[in-house]
Amino acid sequence: MDATLRRRHRSRRAIAERGVEGVQTCCADDAQSGVSCVERLLAEHPGLAAIATINEAAMPGLYRGIEHAGLAVPRDFSITGVAPRHLAENLHPPLTAADMPADGLGARAVELLIERIADPAAPHRDLLLASPISFRGTTAPARQRDSLLS
């Protein structure tokens, strides 16, 4: 199973296990698409209370889209994602995220490349790494916002 399908499957399973409603959507890899994505999601799902994303390139736009909707993170809306620590820490407020350990990923990629060069016939293999979660300033309990969106 490729990484994208694996993430979708895990997201659906996590949503179902917690008994919450969830919607999955795709967003292009740029800030303006992040703004458009938030606008579309809030228009289609006015009660939406949070976004979890793996799209670090759209992240600044997601923040702007939430702000343009008149919502404050985390008071009115939570956001979390997967991002390199330096990006997560430099957003405002700092993003609660699974921190991508870039140094560790790079080291493992080099090891796998060396293994492939040494034995080109070796079977392909996937490597899954657990990323630490850093709780920062973008998550809080959901609160009713109906009056804010009217």
Side-chain angles (χ1 to χ4, degrees), residues 116-142:
R116 175 64 65 185
I117 291 169
D119 184 5
H124 173 81
R125 63 187 177 114
D126 290 322
L127 179 65
L128 298 177
L129 300 175
S131 299
I133 306 242
S134 294
F135 293 93
R136 297 185 181 96
T138 58
T139 53

Side-chain angles (χ1 to χ4, degrees), residues 65-134:
I66 293 165
E67 183 181 347
H68 291 168
L71 303 172
V73 174
R75 184 190 72 215
D76 305 316
F77 200 90
S78 292
I79 184 168
T80 187
V82 177
R85 178 180 215 111
H86 72 277
L87 172 66
E89 290 177 343
N90 287 300
L91 289 166
H92 181 72
L95 180 70
T96 294
D99 296 325
M100 294 304 299
D103 292 344
L105 290 172
R108 291 298 296 150
V110 169
E111 290 172 17
L112 292 172
L113 177 60
I114 291 169
E115 288 176 17
R116 175 64 65 185
I117 291 169
D119 184 5
H124 173 81
R125 63 187 177 114
D126 290 322
L127 179 65
L128 298 177
L129 300 175
S131 299
I133 306 242
S134 294

Side-chain angles (χ1 to χ4, degrees), residues 50-61:
I51 290 177
T53 184
I54 59 169
N55 188 337
E56 69 184 68
M59 200 79 67

